[in-house]
């Protein structure tokens, strides 16, 4: 009986459950789902956040971080049919801090790394379905592609002018994905190294975050308030630095649910479901109220 009750309540947030199933995490996270149902009885607002990266048509490169425009469009159509309304991270911040109302079924679409195909392939789909998205850019990549004419959609990143074009359409919020810390070497993303002093780490991360923030302010005319952690990696010391740099929210890579409350600290731990190509045939299964793909 208890499991049956959980299943019925989960239908209200069917897309999240579909992603759990697609990732093969349902059984493992059954306890998390029970907690979610319990939390939904209170004042928290369920907010699924989906994570994409490159949206490009080339079958040989489809992966956990590349989906085709056709698949992205199918996802957006499905989300629309299920009655969800896309919102910006800015809207979540306004809800938490200013009590600005959210739509009945809010959902956030995010795209990391700032690929040029987000402008060419994603924007028209957002226009078609009257949707919004959050694109988090890497400063060094955008600076680099601002100096060349390479527009290969399989790897090119948005130039600063192209970021401004996205912003001007009004359907994209820009996030900070570090200026030049999106890499794995001696450091994974923007994590603190074990031997690094807090002073050293603070100086490094602050310099990087502010470099991209200042670049976007001067050349694009925007001030991002959301930071997407590279690889989802973050250290405890990072949060104070983020706040000092003016960020009000942080995007992780933890594939689980968000229950948004009025606690501003929760905004720094927003969780996202990655959307890999390989789960296409399972995302739209008829389980828990999900419609099968045609």
């Amino acid at each position: 009986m208890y499991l049956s009750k959980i299943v019925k309540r989960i239908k209200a947030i069917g897309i999240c459950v579909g992603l759990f199933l697609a990732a093969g995490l349902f059984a493992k996270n059954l306890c998390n789902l029970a907690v979610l149902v319990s939390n939904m009885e209170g004042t928290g607002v369920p907010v699924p956040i989906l994570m994409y990266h490159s949206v490009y048509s080339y079958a040989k490169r489809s992966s956990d971080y590349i989906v085709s425009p056709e698949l992205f469009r199918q996802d957006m159509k499905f989300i629309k049919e299920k009655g969800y309304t896309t919102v910006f991270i800015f809207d979540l911040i306004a809800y938490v801090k200013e009590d600005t109302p959210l739509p009945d079924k809010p959902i956030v679409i995010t795209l990391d790394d700032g690929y040029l195909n987000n402008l060419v392939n994603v924007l028209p789909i957002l226009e078609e379905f009257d949707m919004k998205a959050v694109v988090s850019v890497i400063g060094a990549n955008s600076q680099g592609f601002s100096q060349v004419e390479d527009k290969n959609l399989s790897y090119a990143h948005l130039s600063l002018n192209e970021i401004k074009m996205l912003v001007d359409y009004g359907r994209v919020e820009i996030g900070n994905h570090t200026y030049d810390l999106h890499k794995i070497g001696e450091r994974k993303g923007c994590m603190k190294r074990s031997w690094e002093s807090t002073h050293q780490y603070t100086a490094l991360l602050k310099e990087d975050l502010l470099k991209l923030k200042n670049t976007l302010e001067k050349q694009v005319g925007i001030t991002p308030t959301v930071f997407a952690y590279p690889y989802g990696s973050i250290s405890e010391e990072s949060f104070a630095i983020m706040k000092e740099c003016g960020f009000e929210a942080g995007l992780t890579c933890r594939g689980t649910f968000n229950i948004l409350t009025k606690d501003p600290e929760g905004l720094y731990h927003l969780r996202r479901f990655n959307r890999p190509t390989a789960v296409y045939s399972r995302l739209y299964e008829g389980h828990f109220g999900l419609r099968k793909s045609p």
Side-chain angles (χ1 to χ4, degrees), residues 167-275:
V167 172
D168 289 345
Y169 273 99
R171 295 192 179 277
V172 172
E173 175 183 7
I174 299 298
N176 187 318
H177 207 26
T178 74
Y179 185 86
D180 197 24
L181 290 177
H182 193 287
K183 57 187 71 172
I184 298 178
E186 293 182 359
R187 182 193 312 276
K188 183 179 181 182
C190 60
M191 286 191 71
K192 180 178 178 293
R193 298 176 186 175
S194 59
W195 52 262
E196 201 168 25
S197 72
T198 299
H199 177 75
Q200 290 172 320
Y201 178 67
T202 298
L204 177 136
L205 183 57
K206 186 175 179 180
E207 179 183 8
D208 182 277
L209 296 183
L210 290 179
K211 186 172 183 178
L212 178 51
K213 182 178 180 182
N214 293 338
T215 298
L216 293 173
E217 286 178 345
K218 292 176 182 178
Q219 301 194 43
V220 182
I222 59 171
T223 303
T225 55
V226 58
F227 176 57
Y229 311 128
Y231 313 106
S233 300
I234 199 73
S235 300
E236 190 62 36
E237 295 86 350
S238 307
F239 299 109
I241 303 168
M242 288 170 54
K243 293 173 185 177
E244 185 179 349
C245 292
F247 294 100
E248 299 181 69
L251 296 170
T252 75
C253 297
R254 294 182 60 196
T256 186
F257 301 100
N258 295 289
I259 299 295
L260 200 64
T261 69
K262 295 297 184 177
D263 181 7
E265 290 300 312
L267 290 168
Y268 292 97
H269 305 272
L270 295 173
R271 301 159 180 175
R272 300 185 288 173
F273 292 98
N274 185 49
R275 201 325 180 186

Side-chain angles (χ1 to χ4, degrees), residues 45-259:
V45 177
V47 183
I49 303 180
L50 306 186
M51 175 172 59
Y52 297 82
H53 293 78
S54 181
V55 180
Y56 174 66
S57 289
Y58 184 38
K60 291 182 179 180
R61 293 200 64 200
S62 295
S63 70
D64 286 352
Y65 305 107
I66 303 173
V67 301
S68 70
E70 294 77 15
L71 182 52
F72 184 82
R73 184 184 181 279
Q74 182 77 2
D75 285 357
M76 297 307 104
K77 181 174 183 288
F78 177 75
I79 290 166
K80 192 80 171 182
E81 290 174 346
K82 284 295 179 181
Y84 286 88
T85 300
T86 53
V87 298
F88 290 141
I89 297 298
F90 176 83
D91 297 317
L92 303 187
I93 296 170
Y95 168 78
V96 171
K97 296 187 174 182
E98 302 171 17
D99 206 27
T100 303
L102 287 170
D104 287 340
K105 295 174 71 175
I107 189 170
V108 183
I109 307 301
T110 68
L111 299 106
D112 284 6
D113 303 344
Y115 287 101
L116 175 59
N117 56 48
N118 293 178
L119 171 65
V120 177
N121 293 335
V122 171
L123 182 61
I125 297 171
L126 297 178
E127 291 276 0
E128 178 183 357
F129 292 103
D130 190 21
M131 289 179 157
K132 305 174 180 178
V134 179
V135 174
S136 297
V137 301
I138 303 167
N141 292 349
S142 289
Q143 287 276 26
F145 278 93
S146 296
Q147 300 169 18
V148 298
E149 291 300 320
D150 190 347
K151 304 300 180 185
N152 190 312
L153 294 184
S154 69
Y155 59 78
H157 288 256
L158 293 159
S159 68
L160 293 169
N161 285 337
E162 288 157 349
I163 293 173
K164 190 174 189 310
M165 288 175 61
L166 266 182
V167 172
D168 289 345
Y169 273 99
R171 295 192 179 277
V172 172
E173 175 183 7
I174 299 298
N176 187 318
H177 207 26
T178 74
Y179 185 86
D180 197 24
L181 290 177
H182 193 287
K183 57 187 71 172
I184 298 178
E186 293 182 359
R187 182 193 312 276
K188 183 179 181 182
C190 60
M191 286 191 71
K192 180 178 178 293
R193 298 176 186 175
S194 59
W195 52 262
E196 201 168 25
S197 72
T198 299
H199 177 75
Q200 290 172 320
Y201 178 67
T202 298
L204 177 136
L205 183 57
K206 186 175 179 180
E207 179 183 8
D208 182 277
L209 296 183
L210 290 179
K211 186 172 183 178
L212 178 51
K213 182 178 180 182
N214 293 338
T215 298
L216 293 173
E217 286 178 345
K218 292 176 182 178
Q219 301 194 43
V220 182
I222 59 171
T223 303
T225 55
V226 58
F227 176 57
Y229 311 128
Y231 313 106
S233 300
I234 199 73
S235 300
E236 190 62 36
E237 295 86 350
S238 307
F239 299 109
I241 303 168
M242 288 170 54
K243 293 173 185 177
E244 185 179 349
C245 292
F247 294 100
E248 299 181 69
L251 296 170
T252 75
C253 297
R254 294 182 60 196
T256 186
F257 301 100
N258 295 289
I259 299 295

